[in-house]
Amino acid sequence: MFAVHLLSFYFSKLQEDQIKKVDRFLYAMRLSEEQLKDISKRFRAEMEKGLSRESNATAAVKMLPTHVRSTPDGSEKGEFLALDLGGSRFKVLQVKVSENGKRKVQMESETYAIPEEILSGRGTELFDHVAESLKDFMQKNSINQKKKPLGFTFSFPCVQSKLNEGVLLSWSKHFKSRGVQGRNVVQSLRQAISRVRDIDVDVLALVNDTVGTMMTCGYDDQRCEVGVIVGTGTNACYMEEMRHIDLVEGDEGRMCINTEWGAFGDDGALDDYITDFDREIDAASSNAGKQLFEKMVSGMYMGELVRLILLKMAKRGLLFGGVVSDALRTKGKFQMKHICQIEQYKDGLKNTKEILTDLGLQPSTDDCIAVQQVCTIVSFRSANLCAAALAAILTRIRENRKLKSLRTTVGVDGTVYRTHPQYPKRLHKVVRLLVPDCHVRFMLSESGSSKGAAMVTAVAQRLMSQRQEIDDTLALFRLEKEQLRQVRDRMRVELERGLKKDSHDTASVKMLPSFVYRTPDGSETGKYLALDLGGTNFRVLVVKIRTGMSQSVRMYNKIYAIPQEIMQGTGEELFDHIVQCISDFLDYMGMKNSRLPLGFTFSFPCRQTGIDKGTLVSWTKGFKATDCEGNDVVDMLREAIKRRNEFDLDIVAVVNDTVGTMMTCAYEDPKCEIGLIAGTGSNVCYMEEMKNIETVEGDEGQMCVNTEWGGFGENGCIEDIRTKYDREVDEGSLNYGKQRFEKMTSGMYLGEIVRQILTNLTNRGLLFRGRITEPLKTRGIFETKFLSQIESDRLALLQVRSILQQLGLDSTCDDSIIVKEVCGAVSRRAAQLCGAGMAAVVDKIRENRRLDHLEVTVGVDGTLYKLHPHFSRILKDTVKELAPKCDVEFVLSEDGSGKGAALITAVAKSFCAET
């Protein structure tokens, strides 16, 4: 028993001595955690250089755009052909992808050899051979479908400007076909197919084998957005944010980047980590000075690296008793497969002895242990380097998305990863050590380079089909110039009909007289009370207007809530509540004994017969108080004041918020004669010639007309541009059939139009993976403020996804792009329609005054105009295009409903005094 323990101790000591001997000899290949973090940091810097337009030309890591913009989402289906060209043999495959809830992939394939004379012959001969083999495969499998979609895996560095286009940068892997470098390989394949005849295929995608690996794994695991190859060669790809890829136009979405990381270090970035053995390998290679990282990592070079180390150690008498065999001196005799056999857990030592004996050596047990350690150090360094570069990619993805932790999947392929007994475990362990904030699943690819080409093709076909359906949907919201001219002309007709006595009752644009006869001239002065009722909150204000050198307007106000039960109760309850709020305000200001002139901003459609007489036509904005419609709101307010019997007020004017907006801006700019509201609602007012207003007595001077243009289209005059989504919104509204123009242009409805479109696209499987969530079914959930946020140029898609997640919508990057497009189409149409309506108004003013050219200012208020990133620009551009004889300036109003009400009251008092 003692002898057994002694022998075991002796053998352990022997192993330890041999391992230490090798470690000392190869100390430069042992990399610490700090060194790996340093290498990862350097690779990150190289990625940045490759992505930048300024530094790409000199970057070692080329970061080639692949034009693959999406990973599989599981809805792909169809039959596809794939060509896989990457070595002396190539594959032709037919891949059947079935969805129908089964997500099944079936493959039939055949491998064809490429004779040596073709590998080193003319490029046309190579592609003719590939095309002939494709024809043979299609005939054997009775494939005769027209325009059969084909994906082409081409495992050589290419610059791609499209998914189905790629210019070969350089051959590798012993390929030397002439006349191919610098040419579009897809075009060469198409020409060869054309020469062969009798086959009809459509080459949809050119794919790198690394991308194929990612896409194959991505079909089974939708978190997969990184692909890594560790085999004969090595490379990685990942999904990068478009906004960071300078070499490709556009900022939206993501695109797969083929890093070509094998060239890392070609610019000297790894000089202090490259050993003398690496330099010797490089010097003896066919591409000295190139692919230095690949020569330290890939299976093509690891065997040769071990051979060189063993040769050096033997020459120094550290191995094999100083004996060197001819085989050990011969390049290529020690291969990656030998390293895999030597590092096997159980039979490693036995395999080592057999391999070394085959090399003409007579190894001792010491020698075998030492050789095992050499192989371990070389392969472990490869895994470490690979992990360091992969850690840089994972960190970049995490930071791109501003995540504290990233959960993702890495698709992996390659003979080293597949066949080496320890490599995957080492790689995984080091990656997790270097990026603890990334939770990474590693997934072995199944027929990555072949099936992957079909997957890219399937995704490309899915995206093309989806893109067409989405484009067709959004085309309904795209208004051509001629359509906008028609809207302008029809609006003009309705303006005229609203002004005329005989057509006023049937006109959709009511053109209500406001009895405001002029805009402010700067002489207004005094103290006024203003009320502002237009939503769930109600304001009471004191406005002090000063004239002369110190012309100014000062305001003091208080906001009061209107409970829903009062909004939808009786009219008496509503007006009693308003008077109670006024009473509280007057107490607060110490003004209960003052009889102030009052302007009442009442932002609902009213028919006025005088400046202080306004009959409510209909409630909007959720108000339903009974016994109000058809009654004079000023009288109702006076009655409520009498019931309270605490104070008295001089109600001078009932004011529409649009008119108030115009008056506020006109106080600062005498050219302001138009008011526009583009917010929760949509409306316009303007100064019309009295002689044209047939519904009011008198022909002299002007009067402001409240168009109430939200009703435009109620007579069916814009049915040709209304979509089914507009009709669905109308049918679900409180006032079905009314305010049709407002429902296409105002903030109250735009979000709901977007929700209807998103629901439709989801039902058709074009969005959110076809899953309708409860929030998406909820009317009003998509508020118009989300349009403004989503369409902001400063907002990355990550933030768009965050907004959608707040609404309970789990979106992909592609979903976010589509949602942004939908929002853009709906808001753009709204702005264009407002612009067309405004063009009709300004042209009418110009023609009223018989002017060749009109200069006029529009006072504007409303959250849509103020907060939406593009609405105001599109509105102005449309007016400019449709009313070229009018120079229109838009000025933001400052509190039209408060300050404007006081100014109208001041103007009305002044006008009454004059008359």
Side-chain angles (χ1 to χ4, degrees), residues 708-734:
E708 289 294 341
W709 78 0
F712 178 47
E714 286 177 17
N715 59 359
C717 66
I718 55 172
E719 281 306 296
D720 55 327
I721 61 167
R722 286 177 84 221
T723 67
K724 68 174 185 175
Y725 307 103
D726 296 308
R727 294 184 179 96
E728 284 165 0
V729 169
D730 187 23
E731 285 166 15
S733 68
L734 293 171

PDB file of all heavy atoms in Angstrom, residues 708-734:
ATOM      1  N   GLU A 708     -64.808  77.136 -36.945  1.00  0.00           N
ATOM      2  CA  GLU A 708     -65.166  75.788 -36.482  1.00  0.00           C
ATOM      3  C   GLU A 708     -64.905  74.768 -37.594  1.00  0.00           C
ATOM      4  O   GLU A 708     -65.735  73.930 -37.926  1.00  0.00           O
ATOM      5  CB  GLU A 708     -66.627  75.730 -36.007  1.00  0.00           C
ATOM      6  CG  GLU A 708     -66.890  76.458 -34.698  1.00  0.00           C
ATOM      7  CD  GLU A 708     -66.185  75.834 -33.481  1.00  0.00           C
ATOM      8  OE1 GLU A 708     -65.787  74.658 -33.550  1.00  0.00           O
ATOM      9  OE2 GLU A 708     -66.025  76.550 -32.465  1.00  0.00           O
ATOM     10  N   TRP A 709     -63.673  74.819 -38.138  1.00  0.00           N
ATOM     11  CA  TRP A 709     -63.348  73.967 -39.282  1.00  0.00           C
ATOM     12  C   TRP A 709     -63.217  72.485 -38.916  1.00  0.00           C
ATOM     13  O   TRP A 709     -63.112  71.631 -39.800  1.00  0.00           O
ATOM     14  CB  TRP A 709     -62.123  74.481 -40.029  1.00  0.00           C
ATOM     15  CG  TRP A 709     -60.746  74.188 -39.433  1.00  0.00           C
ATOM     16  CD1 TRP A 709     -60.432  73.516 -38.297  1.00  0.00           C
ATOM     17  CD2 TRP A 709     -59.505  74.564 -40.039  1.00  0.00           C
ATOM     18  NE1 TRP A 709     -59.069  73.456 -38.134  1.00  0.00           N
ATOM     19  CE2 TRP A 709     -58.466  74.082 -39.190  1.00  0.00           C
ATOM     20  CE3 TRP A 709     -59.152  75.251 -41.193  1.00  0.00           C
ATOM     21  CZ2 TRP A 709     -57.114  74.280 -39.461  1.00  0.00           C
ATOM     22  CZ3 TRP A 709     -57.794  75.441 -41.464  1.00  0.00           C
ATOM     23  CH2 TRP A 709     -56.790  74.970 -40.609  1.00  0.00           C
ATOM     24  N   GLY A 710     -63.269  72.162 -37.635  1.00  0.00           N
ATOM     25  CA  GLY A 710     -63.244  70.748 -37.239  1.00  0.00           C
ATOM     26  C   GLY A 710     -64.372  69.955 -37.859  1.00  0.00           C
ATOM     27  O   GLY A 710     -64.272  68.737 -38.042  1.00  0.00           O
ATOM     28  N   GLY A 711     -65.507  70.660 -38.186  1.00  0.00           N
ATOM     29  CA  GLY A 711     -66.665  69.988 -38.799  1.00  0.00           C
ATOM     30  C   GLY A 711     -66.520  69.770 -40.292  1.00  0.00           C
ATOM     31  O   GLY A 711     -67.381  69.126 -40.918  1.00  0.00           O
ATOM     32  N   PHE A 712     -65.444  70.291 -40.907  1.00  0.00           N
ATOM     33  CA  PHE A 712     -65.207  70.124 -42.352  1.00  0.00           C
ATOM     34  C   PHE A 712     -65.278  68.623 -42.704  1.00  0.00           C
ATOM     35  O   PHE A 712     -64.641  67.802 -42.067  1.00  0.00           O
ATOM     36  CB  PHE A 712     -63.826  70.698 -42.690  1.00  0.00           C
ATOM     37  CG  PHE A 712     -63.409  70.561 -44.131  1.00  0.00           C
ATOM     38  CD1 PHE A 712     -64.272  70.895 -45.174  1.00  0.00           C
ATOM     39  CD2 PHE A 712     -62.131  70.116 -44.456  1.00  0.00           C
ATOM     40  CE1 PHE A 712     -63.871  70.789 -46.503  1.00  0.00           C
ATOM     41  CE2 PHE A 712     -61.711  70.017 -45.768  1.00  0.00           C
ATOM     42  CZ  PHE A 712     -62.585  70.344 -46.793  1.00  0.00           C
ATOM     43  N   GLY A 713     -66.096  68.319 -43.712  1.00  0.00           N
ATOM     44  CA  GLY A 713     -66.203  66.926 -44.150  1.00  0.00           C
ATOM     45  C   GLY A 713     -67.441  66.213 -43.654  1.00  0.00           C
ATOM     46  O   GLY A 713     -67.718  65.085 -44.077  1.00  0.00           O
ATOM     47  N   GLU A 714     -68.200  66.865 -42.750  1.00  0.00           N
ATOM     48  CA  GLU A 714     -69.417  66.212 -42.247  1.00  0.00           C
ATOM     49  C   GLU A 714     -70.436  65.985 -43.351  1.00  0.00           C
ATOM     50  O   GLU A 714     -71.324  65.145 -43.222  1.00  0.00           O
ATOM     51  CB  GLU A 714     -70.030  67.049 -41.121  1.00  0.00           C
ATOM     52  CG  GLU A 714     -69.249  66.953 -39.816  1.00  0.00           C
ATOM     53  CD  GLU A 714     -69.817  67.838 -38.713  1.00  0.00           C
ATOM     54  OE1 GLU A 714     -70.978  68.273 -38.849  1.00  0.00           O
ATOM     55  OE2 GLU A 714     -69.103  68.086 -37.713  1.00  0.00           O
ATOM     56  N   ASN A 715     -70.308  66.739 -44.465  1.00  0.00           N
ATOM     57  CA  ASN A 715     -71.211  66.565 -45.615  1.00  0.00           C
ATOM     58  C   ASN A 715     -70.641  65.592 -46.651  1.00  0.00           C
ATOM     59  O   ASN A 715     -71.164  65.486 -47.758  1.00  0.00           O
ATOM     60  CB  ASN A 715     -71.498  67.922 -46.272  1.00  0.00           C
ATOM     61  CG  ASN A 715     -70.218  68.595 -46.745  1.00  0.00           C
ATOM     62  OD1 ASN A 715     -69.120  68.066 -46.575  1.00  0.00           O
ATOM     63  ND2 ASN A 715     -70.355  69.777 -47.331  1.00  0.00           N
ATOM     64  N   GLY A 716     -69.559  64.896 -46.287  1.00  0.00           N
ATOM     65  CA  GLY A 716     -69.002  63.869 -47.177  1.00  0.00           C
ATOM     66  C   GLY A 716     -67.980  64.374 -48.183  1.00  0.00           C
ATOM     67  O   GLY A 716     -67.518  63.605 -49.031  1.00  0.00           O
ATOM     68  N   CYS A 717     -67.580  65.662 -48.078  1.00  0.00           N
ATOM     69  CA  CYS A 717     -66.705  66.215 -49.127  1.00  0.00           C
ATOM     70  C   CYS A 717     -65.247  65.736 -49.041  1.00  0.00           C
ATOM     71  O   CYS A 717     -64.459  66.004 -49.946  1.00  0.00           O
ATOM     72  CB  CYS A 717     -66.766  67.740 -49.139  1.00  0.00           C
ATOM     73  SG  CYS A 717     -66.090  68.500 -47.647  1.00  0.00           S
ATOM     74  N   ILE A 718     -64.848  65.040 -47.947  1.00  0.00           N
ATOM     75  CA  ILE A 718     -63.473  64.523 -47.880  1.00  0.00           C
ATOM     76  C   ILE A 718     -63.452  62.993 -47.691  1.00  0.00           C
ATOM     77  O   ILE A 718     -62.466  62.433 -47.220  1.00  0.00           O
ATOM     78  CB  ILE A 718     -62.650  65.207 -46.767  1.00  0.00           C
ATOM     79  CG1 ILE A 718     -63.348  65.107 -45.399  1.00  0.00           C
ATOM     80  CG2 ILE A 718     -62.335  66.644 -47.114  1.00  0.00           C
ATOM     81  CD1 ILE A 718     -62.488  65.584 -44.229  1.00  0.00           C
ATOM     82  N   GLU A 719     -64.539  62.355 -48.087  1.00  0.00           N
ATOM     83  CA  GLU A 719     -64.615  60.893 -47.924  1.00  0.00           C
ATOM     84  C   GLU A 719     -63.509  60.169 -48.685  1.00  0.00           C
ATOM     85  O   GLU A 719     -63.061  59.101 -48.275  1.00  0.00           O
ATOM     86  CB  GLU A 719     -65.981  60.366 -48.392  1.00  0.00           C
ATOM     87  CG  GLU A 719     -67.091  60.559 -47.377  1.00  0.00           C
ATOM     88  CD  GLU A 719     -66.748  59.984 -46.009  1.00  0.00           C
ATOM     89  OE1 GLU A 719     -66.579  58.763 -45.886  1.00  0.00           O
ATOM     90  OE2 GLU A 719     -66.620  60.787 -45.057  1.00  0.00           O
ATOM     91  N   ASP A 720     -63.045  60.738 -49.796  1.00  0.00           N
ATOM     92  CA  ASP A 720     -62.033  60.056 -50.616  1.00  0.00           C
ATOM     93  C   ASP A 720     -60.669  59.961 -49.918  1.00  0.00           C
ATOM     94  O   ASP A 720     -59.834  59.130 -50.294  1.00  0.00           O
ATOM     95  CB  ASP A 720     -61.874  60.744 -51.981  1.00  0.00           C
ATOM     96  CG  ASP A 720     -61.562  62.226 -51.841  1.00  0.00           C
ATOM     97  OD1 ASP A 720     -62.053  62.845 -50.878  1.00  0.00           O
ATOM     98  OD2 ASP A 720     -60.837  62.765 -52.698  1.00  0.00           O
ATOM     99  N   ILE A 721     -60.430  60.808 -48.901  1.00  0.00           N
ATOM    100  CA  ILE A 721     -59.135  60.719 -48.207  1.00  0.00           C
ATOM    101  C   ILE A 721     -59.261  60.145 -46.803  1.00  0.00           C
ATOM    102  O   ILE A 721     -58.262  59.945 -46.122  1.00  0.00           O
ATOM    103  CB  ILE A 721     -58.415  62.089 -48.149  1.00  0.00           C
ATOM    104  CG1 ILE A 721     -59.244  63.121 -47.374  1.00  0.00           C
ATOM    105  CG2 ILE A 721     -58.038  62.584 -49.541  1.00  0.00           C
ATOM    106  CD1 ILE A 721     -58.458  64.374 -47.027  1.00  0.00           C
ATOM    107  N   ARG A 722     -60.472  59.875 -46.372  1.00  0.00           N
ATOM    108  CA  ARG A 722     -60.648  59.213 -45.073  1.00  0.00           C
ATOM    109  C   ARG A 722     -60.345  57.727 -45.238  1.00  0.00           C
ATOM    110  O   ARG A 722     -60.706  57.120 -46.243  1.00  0.00           O
ATOM    111  CB  ARG A 722     -62.070  59.399 -44.537  1.00  0.00           C
ATOM    112  CG  ARG A 722     -62.347  60.789 -44.020  1.00  0.00           C
ATOM    113  CD  ARG A 722     -63.791  60.906 -43.569  1.00  0.00           C
ATOM    114  NE  ARG A 722     -63.998  60.427 -42.202  1.00  0.00           N
ATOM    115  CZ  ARG A 722     -65.035  59.696 -41.806  1.00  0.00           C
ATOM    116  NH1 ARG A 722     -65.965  59.334 -42.670  1.00  0.00           N
ATOM    117  NH2 ARG A 722     -65.149  59.327 -40.557  1.00  0.00           N
ATOM    118  N   THR A 723     -59.677  57.159 -44.248  1.00  0.00           N
ATOM    119  CA  THR A 723     -59.318  55.736 -44.303  1.00  0.00           C
ATOM    120  C   THR A 723     -60.259  54.944 -43.407  1.00  0.00           C
ATOM    121  O   THR A 723     -61.031  55.506 -42.630  1.00  0.00           O
ATOM    122  CB  THR A 723     -57.876  55.525 -43.804  1.00  0.00           C
ATOM    123  OG1 THR A 723     -57.831  55.828 -42.398  1.00  0.00           O
ATOM    124  CG2 THR A 723     -56.894  56.429 -44.535  1.00  0.00           C
ATOM    125  N   LYS A 724     -60.130  53.615 -43.484  1.00  0.00           N
ATOM    126  CA  LYS A 724     -60.966  52.776 -42.618  1.00  0.00           C
ATOM    127  C   LYS A 724     -60.613  53.012 -41.144  1.00  0.00           C
ATOM    128  O   LYS A 724     -61.462  52.855 -40.258  1.00  0.00           O
ATOM    129  CB  LYS A 724     -60.811  51.302 -42.976  1.00  0.00           C
ATOM    130  CG  LYS A 724     -59.461  50.683 -42.684  1.00  0.00           C
ATOM    131  CD  LYS A 724     -59.518  49.173 -42.958  1.00  0.00           C
ATOM    132  CE  LYS A 724     -58.220  48.495 -42.558  1.00  0.00           C
ATOM    133  NZ  LYS A 724     -58.318  47.026 -42.699  1.00  0.00           N
ATOM    134  N   TYR A 725     -59.366  53.430 -40.895  1.00  0.00           N
ATOM    135  CA  TYR A 725     -58.938  53.694 -39.514  1.00  0.00           C
ATOM    136  C   TYR A 725     -59.619  54.953 -38.983  1.00  0.00           C
ATOM    137  O   TYR A 725     -60.014  55.018 -37.811  1.00  0.00           O
ATOM    138  CB  TYR A 725     -57.419  53.819 -39.445  1.00  0.00           C
ATOM    139  CG  TYR A 725     -56.724  52.624 -40.061  1.00  0.00           C
ATOM    140  CD1 TYR A 725     -56.156  52.702 -41.333  1.00  0.00           C
ATOM    141  CD2 TYR A 725     -56.673  51.409 -39.399  1.00  0.00           C
ATOM    142  CE1 TYR A 725     -55.542  51.608 -41.912  1.00  0.00           C
ATOM    143  CE2 TYR A 725     -56.063  50.299 -39.972  1.00  0.00           C
ATOM    144  CZ  TYR A 725     -55.501  50.403 -41.236  1.00  0.00           C
ATOM    145  OH  TYR A 725     -54.909  49.314 -41.811  1.00  0.00           O
ATOM    146  N   ASP A 726     -59.781  55.969 -39.861  1.00  0.00           N
ATOM    147  CA  ASP A 726     -60.515  57.186 -39.464  1.00  0.00           C
ATOM    148  C   ASP A 726     -61.964  56.850 -39.142  1.00  0.00           C
ATOM    149  O   ASP A 726     -62.529  57.370 -38.177  1.00  0.00           O
ATOM    150  CB  ASP A 726     -60.478  58.218 -40.597  1.00  0.00           C
ATOM    151  CG  ASP A 726     -59.070  58.702 -40.904  1.00  0.00           C
ATOM    152  OD1 ASP A 726     -58.376  59.114 -39.962  1.00  0.00           O
ATOM    153  OD2 ASP A 726     -58.659  58.640 -42.074  1.00  0.00           O
ATOM    154  N   ARG A 727     -62.537  55.951 -39.939  1.00  0.00           N
ATOM    155  CA  ARG A 727     -63.942  55.583 -39.720  1.00  0.00           C
ATOM    156  C   ARG A 727     -64.110  54.806 -38.413  1.00  0.00           C
ATOM    157  O   ARG A 727     -65.101  54.973 -37.706  1.00  0.00           O
ATOM    158  CB  ARG A 727     -64.460  54.778 -40.917  1.00  0.00           C
ATOM    159  CG  ARG A 727     -64.522  55.633 -42.192  1.00  0.00           C
ATOM    160  CD  ARG A 727     -65.130  54.905 -43.381  1.00  0.00           C
ATOM    161  NE  ARG A 727     -65.148  55.815 -44.520  1.00  0.00           N
ATOM    162  CZ  ARG A 727     -64.218  55.862 -45.471  1.00  0.00           C
ATOM    163  NH1 ARG A 727     -63.181  55.030 -45.420  1.00  0.00           N
ATOM    164  NH2 ARG A 727     -64.298  56.723 -46.459  1.00  0.00           N
ATOM    165  N   GLU A 728     -63.108  53.944 -38.100  1.00  0.00           N
ATOM    166  CA  GLU A 728     -63.169  53.189 -36.834  1.00  0.00           C
ATOM    167  C   GLU A 728     -63.074  54.142 -35.628  1.00  0.00           C
ATOM    168  O   GLU A 728     -63.787  53.966 -34.630  1.00  0.00           O
ATOM    169  CB  GLU A 728     -62.034  52.157 -36.789  1.00  0.00           C
ATOM    170  CG  GLU A 728     -62.317  50.938 -37.667  1.00  0.00           C
ATOM    171  CD  GLU A 728     -61.075  50.100 -37.920  1.00  0.00           C
ATOM    172  OE1 GLU A 728     -59.992  50.471 -37.418  1.00  0.00           O
ATOM    173  OE2 GLU A 728     -61.179  49.082 -38.635  1.00  0.00           O
ATOM    174  N   VAL A 729     -62.209  55.146 -35.739  1.00  0.00           N
ATOM    175  CA  VAL A 729     -62.086  56.138 -34.664  1.00  0.00           C
ATOM    176  C   VAL A 729     -63.388  56.918 -34.525  1.00  0.00           C
ATOM    177  O   VAL A 729     -63.870  57.156 -33.407  1.00  0.00           O
ATOM    178  CB  VAL A 729     -60.898  57.097 -34.939  1.00  0.00           C
ATOM    179  CG1 VAL A 729     -60.928  58.288 -33.988  1.00  0.00           C
ATOM    180  CG2 VAL A 729     -59.569  56.350 -34.802  1.00  0.00           C
ATOM    181  N   ASP A 730     -63.976  57.303 -35.651  1.00  0.00           N
ATOM    182  CA  ASP A 730     -65.236  58.053 -35.646  1.00  0.00           C
ATOM    183  C   ASP A 730     -66.352  57.232 -34.996  1.00  0.00           C
ATOM    184  O   ASP A 730     -67.098  57.726 -34.146  1.00  0.00           O
ATOM    185  CB  ASP A 730     -65.602  58.408 -37.093  1.00  0.00           C
ATOM    186  CG  ASP A 730     -66.810  59.333 -37.182  1.00  0.00           C
ATOM    187  OD1 ASP A 730     -67.086  60.041 -36.189  1.00  0.00           O
ATOM    188  OD2 ASP A 730     -67.477  59.339 -38.232  1.00  0.00           O
ATOM    189  N   GLU A 731     -66.434  55.951 -35.380  1.00  0.00           N
ATOM    190  CA  GLU A 731     -67.497  55.085 -34.852  1.00  0.00           C
ATOM    191  C   GLU A 731     -67.371  54.893 -33.336  1.00  0.00           C
ATOM    192  O   GLU A 731     -68.373  54.719 -32.642  1.00  0.00           O
ATOM    193  CB  GLU A 731     -67.453  53.720 -35.551  1.00  0.00           C
ATOM    194  CG  GLU A 731     -68.005  53.763 -36.976  1.00  0.00           C
ATOM    195  CD  GLU A 731     -67.640  52.517 -37.772  1.00  0.00           C
ATOM    196  OE1 GLU A 731     -67.215  51.517 -37.142  1.00  0.00           O
ATOM    197  OE2 GLU A 731     -67.783  52.540 -39.013  1.00  0.00           O
ATOM    198  N   GLY A 732     -66.153  54.947 -32.817  1.00  0.00           N
ATOM    199  CA  GLY A 732     -65.946  54.762 -31.382  1.00  0.00           C
ATOM    200  C   GLY A 732     -66.007  56.047 -30.582  1.00  0.00           C
ATOM    201  O   GLY A 732     -65.834  56.029 -29.357  1.00  0.00           O
ATOM    202  N   SER A 733     -66.257  57.173 -31.247  1.00  0.00           N
ATOM    203  CA  SER A 733     -66.244  58.472 -30.558  1.00  0.00           C
ATOM    204  C   SER A 733     -67.612  58.797 -29.969  1.00  0.00           C
ATOM    205  O   SER A 733     -68.614  58.148 -30.290  1.00  0.00           O
ATOM    206  CB  SER A 733     -65.828  59.579 -31.531  1.00  0.00           C
ATOM    207  OG  SER A 733     -66.840  59.770 -32.511  1.00  0.00           O
ATOM    208  N   LEU A 734     -67.642  59.838 -29.117  1.00  0.00           N
ATOM    209  CA  LEU A 734     -68.903  60.265 -28.480  1.00  0.00           C
ATOM    210  C   LEU A 734     -69.818  60.992 -29.461  1.00  0.00           C
ATOM    211  O   LEU A 734     -71.015  61.106 -29.212  1.00  0.00           O
ATOM    212  CB  LEU A 734     -68.593  61.182 -27.290  1.00  0.00           C
ATOM    213  CG  LEU A 734     -67.886  60.530 -26.095  1.00  0.00           C
ATOM    214  CD1 LEU A 734     -67.455  61.595 -25.099  1.00  0.00           C
ATOM    215  CD2 LEU A 734     -68.795  59.500 -25.424  1.00  0.00           C
TER     216      LEU A 734
END
